[in-house]
Amino acid sequence: MTELDLLVRARRVLTPQGERPASVGVVGGRIAEVGPYDADRSAAAVVELDPELALLPGLVDTHVHVNDPGRSEWEGFETATRAAAAGGVTTIVDMPLNSLPPTVDVEALRVKRAAAEGRVHVDVGFWGGAVPGNGADLAGLHAEGVFGFKCFLLHSGVDEFPPLAGDELAAAMRTVHDLDSMMIVHAEDADTIEHAPRSHGRGYDGFLRSRPQVAETLAIQQVIALAETTGARTHVLHLSSADAIGVLARARADGLRLTVETCPHYLSFLAEEVPDGATAFKCCPPIREAENRERLWRGLADGVIDCVVTDHSPCTPELKRLDSGDFGAAWGGIAGLQVGLPAVWTQARRRGFELGDVVRWMAQRTADLVGLRHKGRIEEGCDADLVAFAPDDAFVVDARALAHRNPVSAYHGRPLAGVVRRTWLRGQEITGNDPNGRLLRRGER
């Protein structure tokens, strides 16, 4: 038998078939075998995990804003991917906006890849953008390997990535269908938010009123209608409003190619508990009330919500307006890439979910969403992306100790369950010193 490059033994191995003691053998960066715990196998390196550690597949986070190039003072490929690895995430897919230029044509994609080359500690794929006037660019981006196309239905927060509306959105979705790609949508209704009360000052209630739940429901209904008429595969980003779950469930029951994500911050935080001036909690759509949070958890349990991703969207402390605490002026985005796994596990275990559920939401289904069938699972033939996780250990988040660029996080001071002890990418342990991640293209192994 071929000697293994690496053999990892663990009493708790999370496989697609369930949790069990096993040994995982690696050859050439891929999982060659998943055998009995005490398998008598020769390997160049053998790792025996302590009994309290679980071996998980590396997480796949399909919603990350790296902001590099152009706004690398907000974040960057080196810092974002180091934070990902520290949090058990071995693959990210980078969003097309907040970087300059935005990824709306082939040349911009090449600029972004050049900025990432040789600087990533985990594997990185890229979304393309769908904006007014770039319909002719979508086929070229698709040919260059983007995993799909993101659009907004209202102002994105940056002027260089404008929203699609009406006929433009319909045309883009027809193109996406013809390419056999996917449209991923920030679904909030522009008109509803335009007529909502303006957000200003230190009170979170005012910000919450400025992004009402009905804005999500109306936008999702529009997206569903276009998905029906165009046949485009469609994905709803960062669902925060549980009011939309019924609409989504009916669309899924009707057979639409529709998937849905939510985020750790919507499953963790409560609007009632956000302190005045705590702009680290500002994100769009917003964190909502306790009753809404519990309905999101039921949506996950029922399978209406497919997966959980971080929507890691950091910025500089200045842009968060930490000095004034003005929710109206602060940038909307939460930095959570490194703590997404423990944040979800902390809440999931309280509700009776198993570690395997978290793996399914944050690794397997996200990998499937973007067609990375060789990621997100401990199975023969898959990439040996592995995480040693201590589910019963706990820690208190210190934003200053996190690996992303700026020490701002809504999770600062929050106690969480679950600690990532070690992370391997294709069988090589990630140390944070040598960036060995690859740049991924759709359809390539």
Side-chain angles (χ1 to χ4, degrees):
M1 298 177 70
T2 303
E3 182 179 79
L4 302 171
D5 300 327
L6 171 68
L7 183 70
V8 182
R9 302 184 196 276
R11 293 292 179 184
R12 301 182 64 185
V13 178
L14 278 294
T15 76
Q17 294 74 39
E19 179 181 321
R20 61 185 172 91
S23 61
V24 179
V26 178
V27 176
R30 296 183 185 175
I31 298 172
E33 57 188 61
V34 181
Y37 175 83
D38 56 357
D40 184 15
R41 292 290 280 116
S42 175
V46 176
V47 175
E48 296 201 21
L49 297 185
D50 292 339
E52 68 273 13
L53 296 182
L55 188 67
L56 316 183
L59 304 190
V60 178
D61 192 337
T62 55
H63 196 149
V64 178
H65 295 269
V66 179
N67 310 330
D68 194 3
R71 291 191 174 99
S72 57
E73 71 275 14
W74 295 17
E75 187 62 283
F77 282 107
E78 290 185 60
T79 50
T81 58
R82 194 178 286 117
V89 178
T90 52
T91 303
I92 66 171
V93 187
D94 174 55
M95 284 292 166
L97 72 156
N98 300 344
S99 56
L100 293 170
T103 316
V104 296
D105 55 41
V106 169
E107 180 54 33
L109 177 62
R110 289 172 179 159
V111 169
K112 180 167 280 194
R113 281 192 170 130
E117 189 69 48
R119 299 174 57 215
V120 296
H121 296 270
V122 302
D123 287 353
V124 179
F126 302 97
W127 295 107
V131 297
N134 85 324
D137 294 298
L138 302 186
L141 284 164
H142 180 73
E144 284 295 313
V146 298
F147 286 87
F149 299 93
K150 181 177 188 177
C151 72
F152 278 75
L153 305 188
L154 77 172
H155 194 279
S156 69
V158 290
D159 292 338
E160 69 273 5
F161 200 96
L164 291 175
D167 292 343
E168 294 171 326
L169 177 60
M173 289 184 70
R174 284 192 293 271
T175 299
V176 165
H177 170 265
D178 293 344
L179 293 171
D180 193 23
S181 185
M182 174 169 54
M183 183 70 84
I184 64 173
V185 186
H186 182 124
E188 289 181 282
D189 182 67
D191 186 66
T192 299
I193 290 177
E194 179 66 27
H195 289 89
R198 296 295 89 195
S199 174
H200 62 86
R202 294 173 55 83
Y204 186 75
D205 284 350
F207 172 62
L208 192 59
R209 287 192 296 271
S210 76
R211 315 289 288 220
Q213 293 205 45
V214 68
E216 284 189 76
T217 302
L218 289 173
I220 287 169
Q221 288 173 330
Q222 178 189 6
V223 169
I224 288 171
L226 284 172
E228 288 178 325
T229 58
T230 65
R233 185 182 170 207
T234 308
H235 180 71
V236 175
L237 297 166
H238 45 48
L239 182 71
S240 85
S241 170
D243 284 355
I245 287 176
V247 174
L248 291 161
R250 288 189 292 273
R252 297 276 289 268
D254 289 341
L256 282 190
R257 295 196 298 166
L258 179 72
T259 47
V260 187
E261 69 182 39
T262 192
C263 303
H265 40 274
Y266 302 132
L267 298 170
S268 298
F269 300 125
L270 300 176
E272 297 93 328
E273 296 178 354
V274 176
D276 286 351
T279 52
F281 290 88
K282 180 180 177 180
C283 56
C284 299
I287 295 160
R288 303 193 186 276
E289 299 88 350
E291 183 269 344
N292 181 84
R293 181 182 72 175
E294 296 315 305
R295 286 194 288 147
L296 288 178
W297 276 104
R298 288 198 295 274
L300 264 176
D302 293 342
V304 180
I305 301 172
D306 298 271
C307 55
V308 182
V309 295
T310 62
D311 188 10
H312 178 73
S313 185
C315 67
T316 62
E318 293 77 19
L319 287 173
K320 268 298 185 184
R321 300 295 196 270
L322 300 176
D323 51 351
S324 68
D326 186 341
F327 277 96
W331 174 259
I334 286 180
L337 183 56
Q338 188 170 336
V339 296
L341 171 58
V344 173
W345 173 234
T346 298
Q347 297 294 326
R349 71 192 306 196
R350 292 175 182 170
R351 292 165 175 82
F353 293 104
E354 303 291 339
L355 194 53
D357 296 314
V358 176
V359 167
R360 187 171 65 255
W361 299 328
M362 303 187 76
Q364 185 172 330
R365 286 184 180 170
T366 46
D368 291 348
L369 176 72
V370 291
L372 293 173
R373 303 289 175 159
H374 58 291
K375 298 281 191 183
R377 46 182 55 78
I378 296 177
E379 196 168 61
E380 290 182 13
C382 292
D383 285 358
D385 301 343
L386 305 169
V387 177
F389 183 64
D392 296 323
D393 287 357
F395 69 106
V396 175
V397 179
D398 182 350
R400 297 162 298 186
L402 298 175
H404 67 258
R405 186 173 299 282
N406 292 294
V408 178
S409 177
Y411 294 94
H412 178 69
R414 192 173 185 86
L416 296 178
V419 177
V420 172
R421 297 298 184 193
R422 303 173 73 174
T423 306
W424 293 265
L425 179 67
R426 290 185 302 279
Q428 297 294 317
E429 188 164 5
I430 302 174
T431 64
N433 298 319
D434 300 314
N436 292 317
R438 296 176 182 171
L439 305 185
L440 305 176
R441 295 172 184 260
R442 185 203 70 263
E444 291 185 355
R445 180 67 188 262

